[in-house]
């Protein structure tokens, strides 16, 4: 890389001095860990968000189609469960048709609050929605919805409902998912309604194909993470020497995505030198799969009462409506 280009990346000499919680610090920490891992939230820079949009249209990637069919079929029932004059808080950017299905059905919504890490993508989506739904106040929040965030002032006095589509809850380990549901309960408040999309356990070939599409878009989405680290942190990953791996871990009931090093190599990022053995991987995403019962049990354990659940005709995907009571219901010990 030309010396001038490198000059733009001003990082402290010692990786330890990187700003805690920054992209740079989390990347160096993840690549220095054993096994190496990077959080999936870093997939979603602008290029990554566009690649994900393409994934949702792939023939093999069933979750988006299945969830949309459920939401369209039950939009009226869902809207009836959302209090009039409420703020709908979406954990995610709101780019999808799913959001529009809810906003179109929930005619008495006062405000819509999408919360997403990629500020650029979020604002662009919010502007589109402002034009399409002028009666609803659009109040985007650029934040990591997995961490605590403040609601916009204008939404604070309103009744609240939450929306978490796409089975993004599957990216969290079960105990993290429980903590997230608990935190969402605190944000939505007692009596708050939460609409959550959850991908279901199914035939392993179907799962495998959904994360190894024949067009290679998921592989490009996975590798884009390395391209982003090169772009934003001045690293020198050679993308061609890393291979996309995605498989179903039966024991942990999750899809795992990895980037495997095709050779022994060393890369430098933010002053850190990271070595890879041939075959060594970076774990870039987990996507846990549930049954309706295992997810309801998880939710009950942190204060949510399942009101109803719908699945698509193939029982590939589920949409749950939960109500927050705040009282954790522990599963009776066998
Ligand atoms: C957005 C996290 C739900 O895990 O299915 C799609 C992301 N990763 N293809 C998922 C994803 C690979 C997706 N979620």
């Amino acid at each position: 890389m030309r010396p001038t280009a490198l000059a733009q990346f001003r990082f402290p000499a010692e990786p330890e001095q990187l700003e805690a919680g920054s992209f740079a610090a989390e990347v160096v920490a993840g690549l220095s860990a054993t096994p190496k891992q990077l959080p999936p939230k870093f997939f979603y820079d602008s290029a990554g968000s566009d690649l994900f949009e393409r994934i949702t249209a792939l023939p093999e990637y069933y979750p988006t189609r299945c969830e949309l069919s459920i939401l369209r079929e039950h939009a009226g029932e869902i809207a009836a469960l959302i209090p009039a004059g409420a703020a709908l808080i979406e954990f995610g950017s709101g780019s999808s048709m799913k959001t529009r299905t809810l906003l179109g059905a929930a005619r008495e919504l006062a405000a819509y609050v999408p919360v997403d890490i990629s500020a650029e993508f979020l604002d662009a989506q919010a502007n589109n929605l402002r034009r399409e739904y002028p009666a609803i106040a659009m109040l985007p929040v650029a934040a990591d919805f997995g961490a605590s965030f403040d609601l916009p002032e204008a939404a604070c006095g309103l009744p609240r409902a939450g929306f978490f589509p796409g089975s993004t809850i599957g990216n969290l380990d079960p105990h993290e998912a429980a903590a997230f549901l608990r935190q969402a309960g605190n944000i939505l408040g007692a009596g708050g309604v939460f609409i959550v999309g959850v991908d279901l356990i199914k035939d392993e070939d179907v799962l495998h194909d959904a994360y190894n599409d024949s067009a290679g878009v998921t592989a490009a989405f996975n590798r884009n993470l390395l391209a982003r680290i090169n772009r934003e942190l001045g690293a020198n990953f050679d993308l061609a020497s890393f291979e996309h791996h995605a498989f179903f871990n039966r024991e942990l009931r999750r899809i795992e995505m990895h980037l495997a090093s095709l050779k022994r190599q060393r890369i430098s990022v933010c002053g850190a030198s990271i070595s890879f053995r041939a075959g060594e991987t970076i774990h870039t995403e987990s996507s846990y799969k549930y049954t309706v019962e295992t997810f309801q049990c998880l939710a009950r354990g942190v204060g949510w009462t399942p009101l109803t659940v719908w699945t698509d005709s193939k029982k590939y995907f589920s949409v749950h409506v939960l109500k927050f009571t705040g009282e954790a219901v522990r599963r009776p010990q066998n």
Side-chain angles (χ1 to χ4, degrees):
M1 188 181 284
R2 295 189 313 289
T4 49
L6 262 180
Q8 68 182 304
F9 298 103
R10 299 211 174 295
F11 293 102
E14 298 307 317
E16 298 71 36
Q17 295 158 353
L18 291 166
E19 185 207 331
S22 66
F23 178 50
E26 289 202 53
V27 165
V28 170
L31 295 177
S32 309
T34 304
K36 293 179 169 53
Q37 55 185 337
L38 291 170
K41 64 183 175 186
F42 293 143
F43 283 135
Y44 301 96
D45 63 343
S46 184
S49 296
D50 292 344
L51 283 163
F52 179 63
E53 284 304 308
R54 287 178 53 200
I55 287 175
T56 61
L58 291 169
E60 298 98 331
Y61 192 75
Y62 59 83
T64 307
R65 272 188 305 284
C66 292
E67 186 172 32
L68 201 48
S69 73
I70 297 169
L71 291 172
R72 285 188 171 141
E73 190 182 338
H74 299 283
E77 292 149 279
I78 296 173
L81 291 165
I82 298 174
L88 179 67
I89 293 138
E90 177 165 349
F91 297 79
S93 66
S95 63
S96 66
M97 280 312 297
K98 301 170 206 173
T99 305
R100 286 170 171 76
T101 304
L102 280 197
L103 296 183
R107 290 266 158 230
E108 295 167 276
L109 269 183
Y112 171 64
V113 185
V115 183
D116 194 84
I117 200 171
S118 58
E120 228 179 290
F121 197 67
L122 184 72
D123 289 338
Q125 298 308 327
N127 288 335
N128 297 342
L129 291 171
R130 266 190 200 96
R131 278 191 298 278
E132 293 169 51
Y133 303 95
I136 301 176
M138 298 296 165
L139 309 169
V141 174
D144 172 358
F145 58 66
S148 70
F149 59 88
D150 296 327
L151 283 177
E153 194 53 41
C156 285
L158 304 174
R160 293 170 215 157
F163 185 38
F164 194 31
S167 199
T168 300
I169 194 148
N171 274 162
L172 305 171
D173 295 341
H175 63 276
E176 291 169 332
F180 168 80
L181 288 169
R182 166 57 102 185
Q183 179 197 283
N186 298 337
I187 291 169
L188 299 173
V193 164
F194 201 12
I195 301 138
V196 185
V198 178
D199 196 12
L200 299 175
I201 292 266
K202 57 184 63 62
D203 175 276
E204 289 182 26
D205 295 342
V206 175
L207 285 171
H208 179 273
D209 294 353
Y211 295 86
N212 293 281
D213 59 282
S214 52
V217 181
T218 308
F221 173 72
N222 201 1
R223 274 209 198 87
N224 174 64
L225 190 50
L226 304 182
R228 180 186 179 180
I229 296 171
N230 286 353
R231 273 194 301 269
E232 296 181 26
L233 304 180
N236 58 346
F237 275 107
D238 165 19
L239 269 61
S241 64
F242 284 87
E243 193 172 59
H244 166 73
H245 277 188
F247 58 91
F248 183 62
N249 178 327
R250 205 173 287 156
E251 193 210 331
L252 296 174
R253 297 174 156 212
R254 69 185 192 192
I255 283 280
E256 293 187 16
M257 291 221 303
H258 294 253
L259 287 164
S261 176
L262 295 175
K263 62 182 180 182
R264 226 165 80 84
Q265 55 184 318
R266 179 176 291 279
I267 64 106
S268 56
V269 54
C270 306
S273 175
I274 310 286
S275 64
F276 287 85
R277 298 184 313 281
E280 185 177 0
T281 78
I282 307 168
H283 184 181
T284 55
E285 184 176 48
S286 291
S287 195
Y288 284 84
K289 310 303 176 185
Y290 291 85
T291 63
V292 165
E293 294 70 27
T294 54
F295 180 72
Q296 290 184 331
C297 187
L298 181 85
R300 278 199 195 90
V302 286
W304 289 95
T305 299
L307 292 183
T308 187
V309 57
W310 298 288
T311 61
D312 56 294
S313 54
K314 288 186 182 160
K315 298 202 176 333
Y316 274 11
F317 202 89
S318 59
V319 172
H320 298 250
V321 181
L322 310 169
K323 189 171 192 112
F324 193 59
T325 55
E327 282 130 43
V329 178
R330 291 270 167 266
R331 184 178 46 209
Q333 298 307 317
N334 296 338

